[in-house]
Amino acid sequence: MTTTTSPVPEQVPESEGPADSAAAVRPARLIHTESTTEIPVHLLFRDDPGPAPAAVKLRPAVVARRPDGGPDGRAAGARARPAGPGVDPALVERPARVLPGIAGVLAGVGGAAGCAATAWWAGVLPPLAVEALGLSDRAEALGPAQWAAFAGAGALGLFGFGGLARGRTGRAWVLGLFGRYRGTVRRTGLLWVNPLLLRRRVDVRLRHWRGEPMPAADHSGVALRVVMLVVWRVRDTARATLGLEDHEGYLRACVEAALLRVPVAAPGAGRGAVQATQDALTRLVAADAGPVGVEVFAVRPLRVEYAPEVAAAMHRRRIAALDAQHRASVLSSVVDSVEDTVTRLTMRGLVNLDDYERKVLVKDLTVAFCAGRGENGA
């Protein structure tokens, strides 16, 4: 017995032999790339449990892969691609190790006191300082011990006072040592940072950027000039500072690229079209700038105007459209007025008109109403 994927029979051409006439009908395959499997007949009609027959190795029925895609039938080009630029995944903002400012102050004061004590020990203090402190005058040469103590106290004072820094709200420092990222400082107040680390100040406040007129197009492909307002801030200082040469320039390029992909609402469009344009631009720019540590909140078109080369033609087209709309409204109003007048005269029995007289009356009323509206409009 043979199992196939479809019970639809297919006629097989007759053969001269008796064996071929016994199998006149044979099931056909609908999917020619699918494999079939042979199942022994005695396994289908077995009632009493008996000794298990020898295991039969069966090949799994697997649909062959399509040459233009994967096992799920999708094309190879339809695979998901990573969005945004390639950024080192290990480059992520992390807090740097800093100490409170009081530690640096104490270290600096201790170093300064150590230098003064070493100078008194070596007898190199000025006489006025010795008299002011009430110390005995000691005149000795600087030996190795004095030099070592003086160097240690001086290094301690330099490290203590040299590492003091003031953290401000909305500002951060990106620290690096020999070209390697060592963390970000977002704390405020007096801090002590290792003076050997290179500091890069980054503004992490909410910022807005208003650009110059950029080229764009509306739904009909008409050239426009758009002035954009972008509200953004730096979310990941490590990626925005170390992953890019200039994150502000990259944000400007993202806005220009989004304007080329999204049709902008033409001048005079409704609020719904303007909101749809703003949402589409914000979504695209946020998706492009997010992987590099820049968070975009809104991308709004402030001023939309036609390009200089098409401004005159679009102005004439706009005036013609408004004039046609005004004429259509005037004609509708005149027709309604004529219909209402004729209906009232007929319904009240003031006149009894046949078809010819009705046409003449309608014509005269239409001319009178149009002339009156023209004089009022002038």
Side-chain angles (χ1 to χ4, degrees):
M1 180 177 180
T2 303
T3 60
T4 61
T5 58
S6 174
V8 180
E10 180 183 11
Q11 296 294 336
V12 180
E14 296 183 358
S15 176
E16 297 178 357
D20 295 336
S21 60
V25 179
R26 181 184 181 87
R29 297 181 183 178
L30 293 182
I31 303 178
H32 297 282
T33 57
E34 184 176 357
S35 304
T36 58
T37 309
E38 299 291 337
I39 302 178
V41 180
H42 68 276
L43 295 179
L44 301 177
F45 303 97
R46 188 178 61 180
D47 296 333
D48 53 340
V56 180
K57 296 182 178 180
L58 304 178
R59 294 182 302 172
V62 179
V63 179
R65 292 188 178 185
R66 298 183 179 181
D68 58 344
D72 54 354
R74 295 183 300 179
R79 295 179 181 176
R81 298 180 180 179
V87 182
D88 186 7
L91 188 61
V92 181
E93 179 182 333
R94 62 177 183 271
R97 297 180 180 178
V98 295
L99 297 177
I102 187 63
V105 172
L106 293 178
V109 171
C115 290
T118 304
W120 173 78
W121 180 21
V124 295
L125 281 178
L128 296 178
V130 173
E131 294 178 1
L133 297 176
L135 302 175
S136 60
D137 190 6
R138 302 180 57 181
E140 296 182 4
L142 291 176
Q146 288 83 1
W147 278 113
F150 195 81
L156 180 61
L158 289 178
F159 263 78
F161 289 123
L164 293 177
R166 183 178 60 176
R168 298 181 180 180
T169 303
R171 303 294 179 91
W173 283 308
V174 177
L175 306 181
L177 180 63
F178 302 116
R180 189 176 180 182
Y181 176 61
R182 306 300 295 179
T184 301
V185 179
R186 287 180 177 262
R187 297 171 57 181
T188 59
L190 188 61
L191 306 172
W192 185 86
V193 184
N194 188 351
L196 298 179
L197 297 178
L198 178 63
R199 308 175 190 177
R200 295 185 182 181
R201 186 179 295 274
V202 183
D203 192 346
V204 295
R205 295 174 295 180
L206 187 65
R207 304 170 64 183
H208 71 278
W209 169 73
R210 178 173 179 172
E212 63 280 358
M214 298 181 180
D218 61 358
H219 293 273
S220 302
V222 179
L224 301 174
R225 289 294 183 269
V226 186
V227 176
M228 304 300 300
L229 174 66
V230 184
V231 181
W232 62 284
R233 71 176 179 183
V234 175
R235 177 177 50 86
D236 193 316
T237 57
R239 292 192 172 187
T241 306
L242 305 178
L244 288 176
E245 182 178 0
D246 182 13
H247 58 273
E248 295 186 11
Y250 177 76
L251 180 62
R252 185 181 297 106
C254 290
V255 174
E256 294 179 357
L259 285 176
L260 296 178
R261 289 181 288 175
V262 176
V264 181
R271 183 176 300 178
V274 175
Q275 184 66 32
T277 301
Q278 175 182 336
D279 295 342
L281 290 174
T282 303
R283 183 169 59 254
L284 287 179
V285 176
D288 292 339
V292 296
V294 177
E295 186 176 7
V296 178
F297 295 95
V299 181
R300 302 188 182 98
L302 289 183
R303 186 174 71 250
V304 181
E305 57 187 12
Y306 291 105
E309 58 271 15
V310 299
M314 297 307 299
H315 181 66
R316 292 193 298 267
R317 180 180 176 182
R318 183 67 176 173
I319 292 177
L322 293 176
D323 185 55
Q325 184 179 2
H326 175 68
R327 290 176 181 272
S329 63
V330 169
L331 183 59
S332 300
S333 177
V334 169
V335 171
D336 293 340
S337 300
V338 170
E339 181 183 5
D340 183 61
T341 302
V342 174
T343 302
R344 288 186 177 184
L345 291 175
T346 306
M347 294 297 296
R348 294 182 181 182
L350 298 178
V351 292
N352 189 9
L353 304 174
D354 54 6
D355 293 340
Y356 177 77
E357 294 175 345
R358 183 185 299 274
K359 292 179 181 179
V360 172
L361 179 60
V362 169
K363 179 181 178 180
D364 295 341
L365 290 176
T366 302
V367 172
F369 286 151
C370 288
R373 287 185 176 274
E375 293 177 359
N376 293 334

